[in-house]
Amino acid sequence: MTSTPTRTAEFRPSGTEVPTASGARTLGTLSRRAVAALSFRTIGAVYVWLLIIVLFSVWAPDTFPTVTTVKQVLNGNAVAGLVALSVVLPLTARVFDLSVAFTMSLTSVLTAYFMVTKGLGPGTAIALAMTAALLIGLVNGVVVVVLRVDSFIATLATGALIQSLITMVTNDSSITGVKLLAKPFANIAQLDAGGITLPVLYLLLAATAIWFLLEHTATGRRLYATGFNADAARLQGVRTNRLRFLTLVTSALLAGFAGVVFASSVGSGSPSAGTPYLLSAYAAAFVGATQLRAGRFNAWGTVIAVLLLGTGITGLGLATSAQWAASLFTGSVLIVALVLTGGRITLPTVLRRHKAPTVAETDEVSAPDKEFT
């Protein structure tokens, strides 16, 4: 009698072992993502920011490492942050708006002029000032998009025209009055909670709105596509001219709002209110392009850069009285940012590991976006 050959029992993983292996892979993936998110390439400005804090804490131990300094950095740089965010959207679409500083000055002056000289209420004065900002954005859009003048030159020329209007209204003198120091206008910038003023909230809201637009909407993807390669985006059905037009309008409105907040914070309309903010705005935007979403202008990277610059300038003010130190610091940071962005808004290859794009990245760049049509 022959016996039936037996087959060696196969090993079958138990129900508890499979999830364990899967969990290990998931944990490994999360660990790699965490390391990448915390790498110097991703948040290098944060580490530089911490280094600056340590440096000034040692340099000025009696005045710098205090809660008062923290509030000063936040409150003192909220307006600068609004101006910096105003240039993020145009830069995303590869458009320069150099008129933001002049727009800020104009709305500051017009708000004060309508309230003090014409006796209008705060709401009406602000509405008229913001209407002027809207008109500036429309003019910039027509000149740059419709007439096809280079945005760098066009917005610089627009800024000169705005400055002439400011001089006409103010005769190069600040507009002051009791109405600018009284409520409710003063509350726009001076109302605080725990020492943190409302402009900080405005900054956070503006950054959140821009972040959501760029990262979670089809319009944001179209803006990035326009900035990276306008011709390719146009072939995919993206209305690049309309997007560039709208970014200039949005930029003017946000800069105009910054001017209103500035007038409320200082209680006057200054003809040169926006001038000191132009360099720092672009420095923050370009430094922000190297953070979080390296190679892309983004809102939260810009906010980090604003706070980095603000911390450095505040520290220099507390540690030394040299008037040139702040401009030197801001200019140096901007040069470093331009080196990092390499003119292509990407990190240079010597600072990053070159690797072939994944299939997902290739599809994201080259494949037609159904929402473009």
Side-chain angles (χ1 to χ4, degrees), residues 62-363:
D62 297 329
T63 55
F64 184 80
T66 63
V67 176
T68 302
T69 302
V70 174
K71 295 178 181 179
Q72 181 180 349
V73 170
L74 292 175
N75 296 333
N77 291 279
V79 173
L82 289 173
V83 180
L85 289 176
S86 73
V87 304
V88 168
L89 289 179
L91 287 175
T92 301
R94 196 172 289 183
V95 176
F96 282 89
D97 187 357
L98 299 183
S99 67
V100 290
F102 302 98
T103 304
M104 175 184 170
S105 298
L106 180 63
T107 55
S108 168
V109 164
L110 288 181
T111 302
Y113 174 78
F114 288 127
M115 289 181 63
V116 175
T117 305
K118 298 301 182 180
L120 300 179
T124 305
I126 293 172
L128 291 174
M130 291 303 295
T131 300
L134 175 61
L135 291 175
I136 291 171
L138 293 174
V139 170
N140 282 338
V142 170
V143 174
V144 173
V145 178
V146 179
L147 301 181
R148 300 183 182 277
V149 179
D150 181 82
S151 62
F152 194 95
I153 300 172
T155 55
L156 190 61
T158 304
L161 296 176
I162 298 170
Q163 186 60 51
S164 66
L165 179 59
I166 293 172
T167 304
M168 184 189 306
V169 173
T170 65
N171 198 25
D172 282 336
S173 299
S174 296
I175 300 175
T176 58
V178 177
K179 293 183 67 174
L180 299 175
L181 301 173
K183 300 177 181 179
F185 183 72
N187 286 343
I188 294 175
Q190 298 179 26
L191 191 66
D192 70 279
I196 304 300
T197 57
L198 277 180
V200 177
L201 176 61
Y202 305 150
L203 175 62
L204 295 177
L205 291 176
T208 301
I210 294 175
W211 164 78
F212 184 82
L213 173 68
L214 293 178
E215 300 295 334
H216 296 283
T217 67
T219 300
R221 293 194 294 273
R222 293 165 186 161
L223 281 171
Y224 279 129
T226 301
F228 286 129
N229 192 326
D231 292 334
R234 194 178 299 111
L235 291 175
Q236 296 293 336
V238 179
R239 297 180 179 179
T240 56
N241 286 337
R242 184 175 67 174
L243 288 176
R244 295 168 68 211
F245 191 101
L246 291 176
T247 60
L248 288 169
V249 173
T250 305
S251 175
L253 288 174
L254 191 52
F257 178 69
V260 173
V261 174
F262 179 86
S264 174
S265 64
V266 301
S268 67
S270 173
S272 59
T275 303
Y277 292 99
L278 183 61
L279 178 61
S280 60
Y282 275 92
F286 276 94
V287 172
T290 67
Q291 304 302 301
L292 303 179
R293 299 280 287 170
R296 298 185 179 187
F297 293 101
N298 63 90
W300 293 117
T302 301
V303 172
I304 291 173
V306 167
L307 295 178
L308 184 155
L309 291 169
T311 302
I313 293 173
T314 301
L316 288 171
L318 294 174
T320 178
S321 59
Q323 296 182 354
W324 47 264
S327 297
L328 176 64
F329 178 77
T330 303
S332 300
V333 170
L334 179 56
I335 291 174
V336 172
L338 290 173
V339 170
L340 290 177
T341 53
R344 296 182 297 108
I345 319 302
T346 56
L347 290 173
T349 53
V350 296
L351 297 181
R352 61 183 173 88
R353 180 181 300 175
H354 181 74
K355 63 178 182 178
T358 63
V359 174
E361 292 171 340
T362 304
D363 291 342

Side-chain angles (χ1 to χ4, degrees), residues 40-79:
F40 188 86
R41 176 173 177 254
T42 305
I43 55 170
V46 174
Y47 297 120
V48 175
W49 185 16
L50 294 176
L51 179 62
I52 290 174
I53 292 174
V54 173
L55 174 63
F56 284 112
S57 296
V58 174
W59 191 356
D62 297 329
T63 55
F64 184 80
T66 63
V67 176
T68 302
T69 302
V70 174
K71 295 178 181 179
Q72 181 180 349
V73 170
L74 292 175
N75 296 333
N77 291 279
V79 173

